[in-house]
Each structure stands twice: as structure tokens, then as C-alpha cells.
Amino acid sequence: MRVNSMKDHIVFYKETQQGPYPGMGGSTEVFKSWAEIYEPSTKDFQIGSLETSKVNITVIIRNAYPEFVPNVNNTFVVETGMYQGIKFNIKSVSPKDANTIKVVGTQWE
């Protein structure tokens, strides 16, 4: 289990659209979790079609199914560590093993 390496705190948000124009919506907090954060691998860059000009990270969280399953319509903010305060779009979600989920994100514009 990767619990000992989950040292950063992240918050997941659901982006809501409340008007006819982009950016008129808001964010609703849906889940908080401890996470392990590291740089994406070459495979993560290929799967998520990540841009090298932006900040990209891979996050490992505990599997909280059915309470919460992240999807590409969500965003997350890292609240601790080197990426503190940066908002990320989710590019891909995949199971890491029976107890964890891998989330790849790129910096929100």
C-alpha cells in the first residue's frame, strides 16, 4: 500500500456551467484526499495528450469507489507541497491497483 508516500493534500472540484458564455460557471468541491504526486511518465504524456509547455503531474489517490470516482470533467487543486495552489484539469484516470487510482492532470488555463 502506498499510504506512507501520500503526503500531499488535494481537493477535487466539479466545474459547473451556469450561463451561455465560457467561464460563467463555478466550481463545487466534491472530494478531498491525500495523494502521492510525481512527474508524468512518457506513457502518461501519450495517453493524456499532454503539452510539454504546461505543468503536468500524476497523482495517486486511494480508491474511494463508490463515494467518488474522478473523471475528465473534474478539476483538482493541490493544497500542499511544490504545486500548492495550482489548479489542474484531469486528462486521464486509470486504476493503479485494487486500492489506488492514478489521475493525470495538466495546469488549468
Side-chain angles (χ1 to χ4, degrees):
M1 185 89 182
R2 303 175 87 107
V3 174
N4 292 339
S5 54
M6 293 187 180
K7 298 181 180 180
D8 292 301
H9 193 254
I10 61 173
V11 179
F12 288 90
Y13 295 92
K14 179 179 181 181
E15 298 298 318
T16 56
Q17 187 69 13
Q18 297 176 346
Y21 301 107
M24 291 187 70
S27 299
T28 305
E29 183 179 304
V30 291
F31 189 70
K32 292 182 179 183
S33 178
W34 291 101
E36 175 186 354
I37 298 175
Y38 58 90
E39 294 292 318
S41 65
T42 304
K43 183 178 175 184
D44 294 338
F45 271 98
Q46 292 171 348
I47 291 172
S49 299
L50 303 178
E51 297 177 31
T52 56
S53 62
K54 295 184 180 180
V55 176
N56 300 294
I57 62 172
T58 299
V59 175
I60 304 295
I61 62 169
R62 69 177 176 83
N63 189 351
Y65 178 81
E67 179 185 344
F68 175 71
V69 177
N71 64 52
V72 294
N73 296 326
N74 297 135
T75 59
F76 63 91
V77 175
V78 179
E79 294 193 330
T80 58
M82 188 168 93
Y83 300 103
Q84 181 176 3
I86 299 176
K87 188 174 188 177
F88 293 89
N89 282 326
I90 295 177
K91 290 294 188 175
S92 71
V93 178
S94 61
K96 184 74 173 173
D97 55 39
N99 298 320
T100 57
I101 296 174
K102 179 170 82 168
V103 178
V104 179
T106 190
Q107 187 174 9
W108 176 271
E109 295 180 357

